[in-house]
Amino acid sequence: AQTVTQSQPEMSVQEAETVTLSCTYDTSESDYYLFWYKQPPSRQMILVIRQEAYKQQNATENRFSVNFQKAAKSFSLKISDSQLGDAAMYFCAYRRSDQAGTALIFGKGTTLSVSS
Amino acid sequence: KAGVTQTPRYLIKTRGQQVTLSCSPISGHRSVSWYQQTPGQGLQFLFEYFSETQRNKGNFPGRFSGRQFSNSRSEMNVSTLELGDSALYLCASSLGDPNTDTQYFGPGTRLTVL
């Protein structure tokens, strides 16, 4: 069974600084998708970034980028120029690429606090 | 385009009762998935409906059921509520193509069982 592990329950960063959230996963599949979701105190889950396993290039969305290491099964999220609005719980998620695997498997989450 | 909507946003029930939660997906999305979020277990997949058929199911007891209508709206039902069913229930919609899919979440329904 696939598993997703986020080893940092809490992280903190100062405004304008850079922070990296870690995620590792376990799977025997060769093709799959990885996601980072953000859940602010309002509880609305928001997609931050998505990575296809077959793509070598790391995904980037504005201030958010990932470091995808397929062999190491590692998928970290880097937030640059952190803003107060980035404070939230961040979840790493895995999904298989076939029809039987549309379910997202989530890590336990990392709570990020941002100070001014 | 309107996002995923869930109703009601908050519910309080007592043990033994049953409850129905509703989810309206983003227009054009044919897949609806349900997740349970608790502090102890985190986010867990309940089931997914695609074109009115259950396509995937998580490891939850039969008290948890769902259905999807022809307009892609979905309902989730929990019968004989237990204290441990208290959770945030999240619904996510997507186009339903595993090769390209991204799930978009609704705001959730907070269920409290007393």
Side-chain angles (χ1 to χ4, degrees):
Chain A
Q2 296 86 7
T3 58
V4 177
T5 302
Q6 294 178 250
S7 59
Q8 307 152 316
E10 297 179 351
M11 293 282 285
S12 61
V13 65
Q14 291 211 311
E15 263 188 305
E17 298 295 310
T18 295
V19 65
T20 299
L21 308 184
S22 300
C23 173
T24 58
Y25 57 94
D26 187 27
T27 183
S28 58
E29 304 289 328
S30 60
D31 198 14
Y32 48 86
Y33 298 90
L34 296 165
F35 305 84
W36 279 98
Y37 281 91
K38 165 187 176 181
Q39 189 178 42
S42 67
R43 312 302 284 178
Q44 176 93 42
M45 193 81 77
I46 301 163
L47 176 68
V48 175
I49 202 164
R50 160 196 164 114
Q51 174 80 44
E52 291 88 346
Y54 64 85
K55 288 187 177 178
Q56 302 270 1
Q57 191 172 4
N58 290 325
T60 299
E61 285 289 342
N62 301 314
R63 299 183 295 107
F64 299 87
S65 61
V66 298
N67 184 4
F68 173 49
Q69 302 287 331
K70 191 173 184 179
K73 296 180 183 173
S74 170
F75 182 61
S76 60
L77 175 70
K78 185 171 84 171
I79 306 174
S80 304
D81 186 26
S82 295
Q83 300 174 359
L84 293 176
D86 294 334
M89 181 164 277
Y90 287 80
F91 291 95
C92 177
Y94 163 99
R95 183 175 70 74
R96 283 165 49 180
S97 63
D98 59 5
Q99 277 219 349
T102 49
L104 288 168
I105 299 168
F106 287 91
K108 292 292 189 186
T110 296
T111 300
L112 177 67
S113 57
V114 182
S115 55
S116 55
Chain B
K1 205 181 246 189
V4 179
T5 58
Q6 292 187 245
T7 56
R9 295 292 309 277
Y10 301 92
L11 265 179
I12 299 175
K13 294 285 187 180
T14 56
R15 279 180 298 175
Q17 288 187 308
Q18 75 166 17
V19 67
T20 299
L21 314 182
S22 180
C23 172
S24 293
I26 292 171
S27 177
H29 284 192
R30 297 166 63 194
S31 168
V32 174
S33 298
W34 290 89
Y35 294 84
Q36 181 196 66
Q37 185 176 21
T38 60
Q41 299 299 316
L43 280 150
Q44 294 184 285
F45 171 74
L46 280 154
F47 31 64
E48 181 214 2
Y49 285 86
F50 178 76
S51 293
E52 302 178 64
T53 301
Q54 188 180 86
R55 184 159 69 172
N56 286 300
K57 188 178 189 305
N59 190 25
F60 277 81
R63 299 185 298 107
F64 292 83
S65 63
R67 59 177 175 168
Q68 187 179 34
F69 301 95
S70 59
N71 61 357
S72 293
R73 189 177 70 85
S74 176
E75 287 182 347
M76 189 191 96
N77 185 272
V78 187
S79 62
T80 319
L81 283 166
E82 300 177 359
L83 294 178
D85 297 333
S86 294
L88 180 68
Y89 289 89
L90 294 168
C91 154
S93 81
S94 68
L95 291 169
D97 180 354
N99 292 319
T100 60
D101 241 3
T102 294
Q103 294 182 25
Y104 297 91
F105 284 80
T109 294
R110 169 73 64 185
L111 172 65
T112 302
V113 182
L114 302 176

